[in-house]
């Protein structure tokens, strides 16, 4: 049987608005069935920094916006502390549908399978082609696997700048992992430290070109 893929649903050389419209009808894997809607990326088309998470959570599935639940709130705070404001950043996920298991009335997050990550990759590649960021941040192992391969270990290589097909990529932990960490304060400090490294790697001319990653207020 042929591998499932979003590729037939992704329009060629499309801008973000066209991609977002097309993604609503994606049936590239089975996750679209139980999910409420596709949660596409959000942010300016000329963002210099693009952040990739895992998949939408329960709140994102209901609202249709990435990173608006508890992990998103923590991410906003950490970005601000690192000197990066969310408004100038394009935020997306490796997988565009919420994968969950029903337990009573609750919907419990389930990690996407390798085939689902691979099936969704054409959307991420199309977003990268439309935004052309100067730096990409992988938040957690799913995003790192999608862009850097299965052998990449976030625990060993977090905060390091690596290059993939001419694109600078830095991986760090997922904000949900910070929320779950036994020592949350230490995990949060480590997360902010990685984001400060990201800030340092952004070109110094950002403000002059008008494509700035807006500094946090
Ligand atoms: N976790 C993610 O990886 N992405 C979201 O959008 C929300 C939570």
């Amino acid at each position: 049987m042929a591998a499932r893929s979003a590729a037939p649903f992704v329009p060629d050389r499309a801008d973000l608005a066209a991609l977002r419209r097309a993604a609503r009808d994606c049936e590239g894997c089975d996750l679209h069935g139980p999910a409420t809607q596709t949660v596409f990326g959000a942010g300016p088309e000329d963002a210099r920094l693009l952040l990739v998470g895992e998949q939408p959570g329960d709140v994102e599935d209901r609202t249709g916006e990435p990173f608006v639940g508890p992990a998103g709130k923590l991410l906003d705070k950490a970005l601000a502390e690192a000197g990066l404001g969310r408004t100038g950043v394009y935020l997306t996920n490796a997988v565009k549908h919420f994968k969950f298991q029903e337990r009573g009335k609750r919907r419990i997050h389930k990690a996407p399978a390798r085939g689902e990550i691979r099936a969704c990759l054409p959307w991420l590649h199309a977003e990268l082609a439309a935004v052309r960021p100067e730096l990409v941040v992988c938040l957690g192992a799913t995003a790192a696997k999608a862009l850097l391969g299965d052998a990449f270990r976030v625990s060993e290589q977090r905060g390091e700048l690596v290059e993939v097909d001419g694109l600078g990529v830095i991986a760090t932990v997922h904000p949900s992992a910070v929320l779950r960490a036994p020592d949350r304060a230490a995990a949060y400090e480590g997360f902010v430290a990685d984001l400060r490294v990201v800030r340092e790697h952004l070109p110094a001319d950002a403000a002059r070109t008008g494509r700035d990653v807006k500094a946090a207020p």
Side-chain angles (χ1 to χ4, degrees):
M1 199 173 74
R4 306 291 306 276
S5 175
F9 300 89
V10 181
D12 265 354
R13 284 184 284 276
D15 63 11
L16 284 178
L19 290 172
R20 188 172 291 113
R21 266 195 311 277
R24 284 186 207 139
D25 301 322
C26 185
E27 297 184 2
C29 76
D30 292 333
L31 297 182
H32 70 91
T36 308
Q37 57 190 316
T38 304
V39 180
F40 205 68
E45 190 132 12
D46 63 354
R48 302 187 81 160
L49 180 61
L50 184 147
L51 264 56
V52 189
E54 184 195 68
Q55 60 165 336
D58 183 65
V59 183
E60 289 80 11
D61 174 73
R62 295 177 199 279
T63 58
E65 290 293 317
F67 284 105
V68 289
K73 294 204 168 36
L74 184 134
L75 176 62
D76 284 354
K77 186 166 175 278
L79 282 171
E81 258 182 63
L84 299 161
R86 175 171 174 147
T87 47
V89 172
Y90 186 82
L91 271 172
T92 191
N93 284 298
V95 172
K96 309 292 196 254
H97 284 107
F98 179 36
K99 183 175 182 183
F100 60 92
Q101 200 168 23
E102 276 175 311
R103 221 176 277 161
K105 284 193 179 149
R106 293 181 63 208
R107 304 191 303 167
I108 310 296
H109 162 276
K110 268 189 93 178
R114 190 186 296 169
E116 291 155 349
I117 299 168
R118 201 175 305 129
C120 214
L121 201 50
W123 288 119
L124 183 54
H125 284 156
E127 288 172 297
L128 287 167
V131 177
R132 294 184 300 111
E134 283 164 33
L135 202 53
V136 173
V137 176
C138 291
L139 298 168
T142 297
K145 274 190 202 333
L147 285 181
L148 304 171
D150 285 338
F152 189 90
R153 294 279 167 270
V154 174
S155 54
E156 290 162 23
Q157 289 166 276
R158 63 184 287 182
E160 260 176 43
L161 179 67
V162 291
E163 219 179 280
V164 191
D165 300 330
L167 189 65
V169 182
I170 296 178
T172 182
V173 294
H174 192 283
S176 297
V178 176
L179 288 171
R180 285 194 310 265
D183 186 346
R184 195 192 281 190
Y188 180 75
E189 279 315 306
F191 184 45
V192 172
D194 288 347
L195 293 176
R196 288 204 176 102
V197 173
V198 170
R199 170 85 202 199
E200 280 161 22
H201 278 98
L202 281 167
D205 68 340
R208 270 185 280 128
T209 62
R211 295 178 62 205
D212 193 13
V213 173
K214 303 232 176 12

